[in-house]
Amino acid sequence: MELPGLRTWVVFYLISFVVLLWAAFLSSQGVMLWVSLLLVLIIIGLNFVTVMNQLKTHAARKELQRSLTSSFQRGAGGTEEEKKE
């Protein structure tokens, strides 16, 4: 699978990692447990939605490519009947 914006993905997952570390810190201190749980759920949900959208985009691009190239023939010249025409 292609990753068109690799820098964007790296920044996205670094920010996600920092938020998860901050949530772990909050829960280890025992304060604002609901905030840390909410942060974890938001990050997991956001990652899931992002990956699903990328998979759908990749599948749509692959299907478009398949439909555009379905009428092309490979090879040098084709069959004998096509050469006569």
Side-chain angles (χ1 to χ4, degrees):
M1 186 166 78
E2 297 177 13
L3 293 176
L6 188 59
R7 290 182 185 170
T8 306
W9 282 104
V10 169
V11 170
F12 175 73
Y13 281 111
L14 283 175
I15 291 172
S16 297
F17 185 65
V18 168
V19 170
L20 289 175
L21 282 175
W22 189 48
F25 172 73
L26 288 177
S27 64
S28 70
Q29 295 297 320
V31 294
M32 296 193 286
L33 291 174
W34 64 275
V35 173
S36 63
L37 181 63
L38 182 67
L39 286 173
V40 169
L41 290 176
I42 288 173
I43 291 297
I44 290 173
L46 189 62
N47 284 322
F48 179 75
V49 168
T50 304
V51 169
M52 290 303 294
N53 282 336
Q54 285 296 317
L55 290 175
K56 285 181 185 178
T57 304
H58 181 71
R61 188 180 308 138
K62 191 173 182 179
E63 183 60 35
L64 177 65
Q65 184 179 15
R66 182 179 295 127
S67 69
L68 290 175
T69 59
S70 64
S71 63
F72 291 126
Q73 294 180 359
R74 293 187 179 193
T79 63
E80 291 294 325
E81 293 175 4
E82 292 173 350
K83 289 180 182 178
K84 290 179 184 177
E85 295 176 358

